[in-house]
Amino acid sequence: MTAPPHLPASEDALRRWRLILGRYAARPMGGVGMQGEDWKLDQALEYLYGREYDGRGLAKPAGGPGSLDPTQLRAIDWLNRSRKLFPQEVFERMQTQAIDRYQLTSLLNDPEVLRSMDATPGLAKALLGMRGRLSGQMRDAVRDVIRKTVDEITRRLKSDFVNALVGRRNRQRRSLVPNAQSFDARATIAANLKNYSAERGQLIIERPLFNARVKRNLPWDVVLCVDQSGSMMDSVIYSAVVAGIMSSLPAVRVKLVVFDTSVVDLTHLAHDPVEVLLTVQLGGGTDIGRAVRYCESLIGNPQRTVFTLISDFEEGASPGPLLAAVQRMAQARVKLLGLAALDESANPVYDRQMAQRLASQGMHVAALTPTHFAQWLAEVMN
């Protein structure tokens, strides 16, 4: 929605208001400020957000400049057009709202349309919330979208965990195994300076150098205790991906537990984030104490265990058992971390009073991105 360069500021403001207000601004404002692609923008916005007016029972205005009927577009046409018209971040938000807020049936009845959507955490979250209402054929399409989302998040995060947890670099030793995470850029440049080409203005690398890594002899146990209430869904997605990444690393043994008022041990699925996400049940009450007591029973070597509670700390049961379990683990020298959020934004809404009470029993409380979580684990394990 960038203004055409020849439009005065006042006309650009009218143009933006016209696009924001939609169908009811068409007649009183006419075509003022509307240029070329603006009518396509207007149609794409009307197709989705005009449903707000329909839901309130408001009659459509008759005629007028630029009058549009949402039925002119099919869902797949709207999807493809919007992908081209809007910036990527805006488009991703629109497609998520189409599913989550407006439950656009034409998108939810065609598996190929659903598979053509851009896989994002927001879309995955919306689909997981309504998967129980979809046909078997659509559930297969949802699985494909979830898998694409998980694969993309894993691609972005895996190197952070490998770098942090597979063993620190030993800069005094070389490795003959080429590995991007162990590439020694400074030593490589120094060793290849003789190959600098003044004519081309380039340094020609004939022999890249790599550091060896110090392997950890004893693995650590990482227990992820994840609140599966609806408000924590973003963190559930990233927790599943983090569990999958860490399950592939030799230095870590992962235990994965999800809970609401019940406790479900998903350790056997921890290596497969997609199956974890398709297993979780969103909503319900919250009994954090019960889940923490169960996780406490899984700990065999307290001094080499990291227990991570991922929750908004909205305890539905009596807080006494929860606080007592945390205190016992702290006294046993378990490393304790309470995460009010584990996602890319790390912007939580949580019970601050309960978080303070947990901190007073020995738990470090934070909201972290997955990358910062990997760094914190590395500090603990070193």
Side-chain angles (χ1 to χ4, degrees), residues 178-195:
N179 186 312
Q181 283 79 35
S182 302
F183 178 61
D184 191 335
R186 184 175 299 178
T188 296
I189 292 172
N192 289 273
L193 281 175
K194 61 179 185 244
N195 302 323

Side-chain angles (χ1 to χ4, degrees), residues 2 11-12 23 87 91 96 122-123 127 141-142 152 164 178 186 229-230 248 265 287 291 321 362:
T2 304
E11 282 199 41
D12 181 46
R23 67 173 71 155
F91 169 69
T96 299
L123 178 60
L127 292 173
V142 167
E152 173 58 22
R186 184 175 299 178
S229 59
S248 68
D265 192 328
D287 189 342

Side-chain angles (χ1 to χ4, degrees), residues 170-226:
N170 182 350
R171 297 187 182 277
Q172 307 307 314
R173 293 182 57 200
R174 293 282 167 225
S175 172
L176 298 178
V177 179
N179 186 312
Q181 283 79 35
S182 302
F183 178 61
D184 191 335
R186 184 175 299 178
T188 296
I189 292 172
N192 289 273
L193 281 175
K194 61 179 185 244
N195 302 323
Y196 179 76
S197 170
E199 180 181 344
R200 297 169 60 181
Q202 292 180 339
L203 179 66
I204 300 171
I205 304 296
E206 290 184 349
R207 189 167 63 95
L209 300 178
F210 302 89
N211 293 130
R213 287 186 175 267
V214 178
K215 294 184 179 179
R216 296 188 174 89
N217 295 320
L218 294 175
W220 280 75
D221 292 323
V222 177
V223 181
L224 298 176
C225 185
V226 185

Side-chain angles (χ1 to χ4, degrees), residues 234-236 238-239 242 310 339-344 368-370 373:
D234 288 323
S235 294
V236 171
Y238 281 91
S239 297
V242 166
I310 303 166
L339 292 183
L342 178 62
D343 56 45
E344 298 289 4
L368 299 178
T369 64
F373 181 51

Side-chain angles (χ1 to χ4, degrees), residues 75-80 83 88 91 95 106-107 110-120 123 127 138 141-142 144-145 148:
I76 188 64
D77 298 329
W78 171 79
L79 202 62
N80 291 333
R83 184 181 283 111
Q88 182 66 19
F91 169 69
Q95 73 165 12
S106 45
L107 292 176
D110 188 335
E112 293 311 311
V113 171
L114 188 57
R115 288 188 176 98
S116 74
M117 299 179 78
D118 287 9
T120 66
L123 178 60
L127 292 173
M138 289 305 295
V142 167
D144 291 342
V145 173
K148 285 196 294 184

Side-chain angles (χ1 to χ4, degrees), residues 13-305:
L14 286 173
R15 165 184 173 270
R16 289 174 177 272
W17 274 112
R18 168 64 185 82
L19 290 169
I20 290 169
L21 294 173
R23 67 173 71 155
Y24 293 98
R27 292 192 66 184
M29 295 181 72
V32 63
M34 297 282 277
Q35 304 289 319
E37 291 284 295
D38 287 346
W39 296 113
K40 292 182 180 179
L41 285 170
D42 192 41
Q43 190 177 37
L45 292 167
E46 172 66 20
Y47 181 84
L48 184 62
Y49 297 109
R51 296 164 199 273
E52 288 282 355
Y53 297 125
D54 296 338
R56 298 172 190 173
L58 298 177
K60 296 180 181 178
S67 176
L68 294 167
D69 185 343
T71 60
Q72 291 176 347
L73 281 176
R74 295 178 305 155
I76 188 64
D77 298 329
W78 171 79
L79 202 62
N80 291 333
R81 180 178 295 184
S82 297
R83 184 181 283 111
K84 296 175 183 177
L85 287 172
F86 297 96
Q88 182 66 19
E89 184 178 350
V90 174
F91 169 69
E92 290 177 1
R93 184 179 303 176
M94 290 174 69
Q95 73 165 12
T96 299
Q97 290 179 336
I99 299 292
D100 188 30
R101 184 169 181 174
Y102 301 109
Q103 299 185 9
L104 207 56
T105 55
S106 45
L107 292 176
L108 295 172
N109 291 332
D110 188 335
E112 293 311 311
V113 171
L114 188 57
R115 288 188 176 98
S116 74
M117 299 179 78
D118 287 9
T120 66
L123 178 60
K125 176 182 173 182
L127 292 173
L128 287 170
M130 62 191 317
R131 68 184 186 275
R133 290 170 278 167
L134 301 175
S135 66
Q137 191 179 28
M138 289 305 295
R139 283 196 293 272
D140 290 341
V142 167
R143 179 186 293 271
D144 291 342
V145 173
I146 301 301
R147 187 169 297 284
K148 285 196 294 184
T149 304
V150 164
D151 289 347
E152 173 58 22
I153 297 174
T154 301
R155 184 190 63 78
R156 287 191 283 107
L157 296 181
K158 188 166 186 176
S159 62
D160 293 329
F161 282 86
V162 171
N163 286 340
L165 304 179
V166 170
R168 67 183 184 276
R169 288 191 188 190
N170 182 350
R171 297 187 182 277
Q172 307 307 314
R173 293 182 57 200
R174 293 282 167 225
S175 172
L176 298 178
V177 179
N179 186 312
Q181 283 79 35
S182 302
F183 178 61
D184 191 335
R186 184 175 299 178
T188 296
I189 292 172
N192 289 273
L193 281 175
K194 61 179 185 244
N195 302 323
Y196 179 76
S197 170
E199 180 181 344
R200 297 169 60 181
Q202 292 180 339
L203 179 66
I204 300 171
I205 304 296
E206 290 184 349
R207 189 167 63 95
L209 300 178
F210 302 89
N211 293 130
R213 287 186 175 267
V214 178
K215 294 184 179 179
R216 296 188 174 89
N217 295 320
L218 294 175
W220 280 75
D221 292 323
V222 177
V223 181
L224 298 176
C225 185
V226 185
D227 186 339
Q228 63 178 351
S229 59
S231 62
M232 293 297 296
M233 193 57 215
D234 288 323
S235 294
V236 171
I237 292 173
Y238 281 91
S239 297
V241 172
V242 166
I245 292 172
M246 290 196 298
S247 293
S248 68
L249 304 180
V252 182
R253 292 185 300 227
V254 178
K255 296 180 173 66
L256 177 63
V257 174
V258 300
F259 69 91
D260 41 37
T261 52
S262 300
V263 179
V264 182
D265 192 328
L266 297 180
T267 300
H268 63 293
L269 294 177
H271 66 283
D272 190 341
V274 176
E275 288 303 318
V276 169
L277 293 175
L278 293 173
T279 300
V280 296
Q281 302 294 322
L282 306 178
T286 309
D287 189 342
I288 307 175
R290 183 179 181 184
V292 172
R293 293 197 308 275
Y294 175 79
C295 291
E296 183 184 11
S297 72
L298 301 177
I299 296 174
N301 187 352
Q303 296 184 37
R304 293 191 70 83
T305 297

